[in-house]
Amino acid sequence: MKILIVGGGVAGLGLANLLAQRGTIPTVIEKATGYGGVGYVLSLWPLGTNQLIGMGLHDEVELVRAPFNHYRAMTASGSQLQSMTGDPLVKYGTTALLQRKELMTILQEGARRRGVDVKYDTTVDTLDESEDKVTVTLSDGSTDTYDLVVGADGIHSQVRKIVFGNLPLNFTGNVGYAWWLDPSNLPTIDGIQEYWGSGKFFGVYPSKDAICVFCAFPGQEHSPKPVDERLDHVVGMFADFGGVVPDILSGLKIRNQPDELYYCDYSDIRMEPWHTKRVVLIGDACHALLPSAGIGASMALESATVLAEELSRTDPKRVQNALRLYYKRRKPRCDKTQTDSRRLLKMSLVSNPLLTWARDKLVKFISFETMVSGLLRLHEEPI
């Protein structure tokens, strides 16, 4: 089967590895010129790392991951609401905190060893789908035909736009910034720390060699501050926070690199269907999760596994049957996870003072297992 994968991210390269493992070498194109240091910290739950076992890439993740060994939920002032030591998911597999560029290197090298090359700085210009093929014109002017085109090109998917139209994203009314820190300049941070204020959120996530910080607050869609205003904006927004936040903000001011603060809208997308006869979407292109969910990469790897499984049991004439089964297996699970992620964001960014007080009381007295019951349930269910 001749397959084009548009997008060399987690879903795209995950699928490329699994297809190549089964003897189908796809063509992969990626609009970026290279990965470099792009991306934030990834939380890979056993949902995701177990798929890497299936790809034969789990050992590489073990070498670069930071373990999930401590979690604290804090008030804005730094008082502890909830704490967990140890990994509650260890019976299901490995949990890994790592930099996105580290996972991308592992997936890219795995694909390369299996004969898959990624063509960078390339995207799709046109798609012409017929009953038995898809004719694709790329941005470099080349044209070719495929049995299947997979849109794995992210939340702003060009494939989705061409095939399904300009579908609106679900914007939550919140925006944020993220950046990386050198841990040697900070007090010891031995695990994840999340500070839940009134309409503001500040999260600290250590990988093996660096610390990633996310912050979120209400804002207008597509409204990043000019680069030279970002640092003062973020520092001012969280000036009243306690815990390790003042040390992080102080280090940010000393470093004085506002271009390293990356802006994002807190948006997701829910759509149906995910496929036509010979074009299918995967990952953030069809079931993007909010940046605060911490489960998007794991869900993308799950979807790659399911799509590869269904494609392995069909032939070019009957591709649409495989796409229907893929959609039927993944759509309810992805919708439920997305609903949970929206609910979590609302809880962490509640702005009414009375509701903030009630939330803090609730989080303080429920168990961590109750807080993550939705995540635990996902590990008990088939993908």
Side-chain angles (χ1 to χ4, degrees):
M1 190 181 302
K2 190 175 178 182
I3 299 175
L4 171 67
I5 299 175
V6 182
V10 175
L13 285 181
L15 179 62
N17 273 279
L18 291 161
L19 291 173
Q21 210 175 37
R22 292 164 166 82
T24 298
I25 307 299
T27 298
V28 181
I29 62 171
E30 165 58 43
K31 68 178 180 181
T33 55
Y35 292 113
V38 69
Y40 312 130
V41 70
L42 295 179
S43 302
L44 274 186
W45 307 102
L47 302 172
T49 55
N50 289 346
Q51 312 318 312
L52 294 168
I53 292 175
M55 296 177 199
L57 300 175
H58 188 268
D59 289 348
E60 286 90 334
V61 171
E62 281 290 332
L63 295 175
V64 298
R65 77 178 181 100
F68 181 82
N69 54 20
H70 206 151
Y71 170 85
R72 294 183 181 89
M74 323 284 279
T75 65
S77 63
S79 298
Q80 183 168 289
L81 295 171
Q82 184 63 256
S83 178
M84 188 282 305
T85 300
D87 185 351
L89 301 173
V90 67
K91 70 177 181 178
Y92 302 109
T94 301
T95 299
L97 297 172
L98 70 167
Q99 298 181 46
R100 186 179 187 274
K101 66 178 182 181
E102 294 170 333
L103 179 60
M104 296 314 306
T105 297
I106 291 168
L107 291 171
Q108 185 180 18
E109 286 301 306
R112 184 188 58 78
R113 290 194 298 270
R114 294 180 168 115
V116 179
D117 290 321
V118 180
K119 189 174 183 180
Y120 293 102
D121 197 21
T122 307
T123 188
V124 170
D125 276 352
T126 64
L127 291 167
D128 184 12
E129 184 178 9
S130 65
E131 193 70 28
D132 61 351
K133 65 183 179 180
V134 187
T135 302
V136 182
T137 301
L138 302 181
S139 57
D140 62 4
S142 63
T143 299
D144 207 344
T145 60
Y146 298 89
D147 298 309
L148 175 67
V149 173
V150 181
D153 47 344
I155 191 170
H156 300 291
S157 170
Q158 176 70 1
V159 173
R160 185 184 70 231
K161 184 177 181 180
I162 292 172
V163 176
F164 296 98
N166 194 16
L167 301 179
L169 301 180
N170 170 57
F171 177 58
T172 65
N174 299 289
V175 301
Y177 290 92
W179 65 94
W180 286 97
L181 294 170
D182 181 350
S184 64
N185 298 322
L186 294 169
T188 300
I189 298 175
D190 61 350
I192 295 172
Q193 295 186 25
E194 294 183 342
Y195 295 81
W196 297 8
S198 183
K200 293 185 286 187
F201 172 88
F202 196 99
V204 184
Y205 306 93
S207 67
K208 188 174 182 179
D209 299 314
I211 292 174
C212 189
V213 178
F214 278 88
C215 65
F217 42 85
Q220 298 295 315
E221 191 174 14
H222 310 313
S223 59
K225 290 288 184 182
V227 170
D228 60 354
E229 296 178 18
R230 291 183 184 181
L231 195 151
D232 288 340
H233 180 60
V234 169
V235 170
M237 183 69 68
F238 293 93
D240 59 337
F241 274 47
V244 300
V245 177
D247 291 312
I248 290 174
L249 296 179
S250 176
L252 192 62
K253 291 181 70 175
I254 291 171
R255 184 170 172 77
N256 194 25
Q257 295 288 337
D259 58 321
E260 295 180 357
L261 275 68
Y262 300 103
Y263 170 88
C264 67
D265 293 320
Y266 277 62
S267 300
D268 62 22
I269 186 167
R270 181 176 296 184
M271 61 175 288
E272 56 183 42
W274 294 355
H275 66 88
T276 58
K277 293 180 179 179
R278 294 187 174 273
V279 179
V280 64
L281 303 178
I282 189 173
D284 282 356
C286 56
H287 59 74
L289 292 154
L290 297 172
S292 54
I295 197 173
S298 295
M299 296 299 284
L301 290 171
E302 276 194 352
S303 290
T305 294
V306 172
L307 182 54
E309 286 177 358
E310 297 301 341
L311 290 173
S312 73
R313 294 192 285 265
T314 194
D315 59 48
K317 293 181 180 180
R318 300 171 179 84
V319 166
Q320 191 174 5
N321 292 331
L323 303 186
R324 277 197 294 259
L325 291 170
Y326 155 71
Y327 178 74
K328 187 174 181 178
R329 288 175 63 180
R330 292 302 293 161
K331 175 66 170 168
R333 183 172 172 87
C334 291
D335 281 358
K336 179 65 171 65
T337 304
Q338 195 176 70
T339 297
D340 287 346
S341 76
R342 292 174 178 179
R343 187 179 299 120
L344 177 62
L345 183 70
K346 286 181 179 179
M347 183 174 72
S348 62
L349 282 170
V350 62
S351 57
N352 180 282
L354 182 59
L355 292 178
T356 301
W357 175 86
R359 176 204 64 194
D360 291 352
K361 290 293 183 184
L362 177 64
V363 172
K364 189 169 185 177
F365 290 107
I366 63 174
S367 67
F368 182 78
E369 287 72 19
T370 300
M371 280 183 63
V372 297
S373 59
L375 181 60
L376 292 169
R377 184 178 62 252
L378 285 174
H379 288 81
E380 296 282 352
E381 297 172 348
I383 69 171

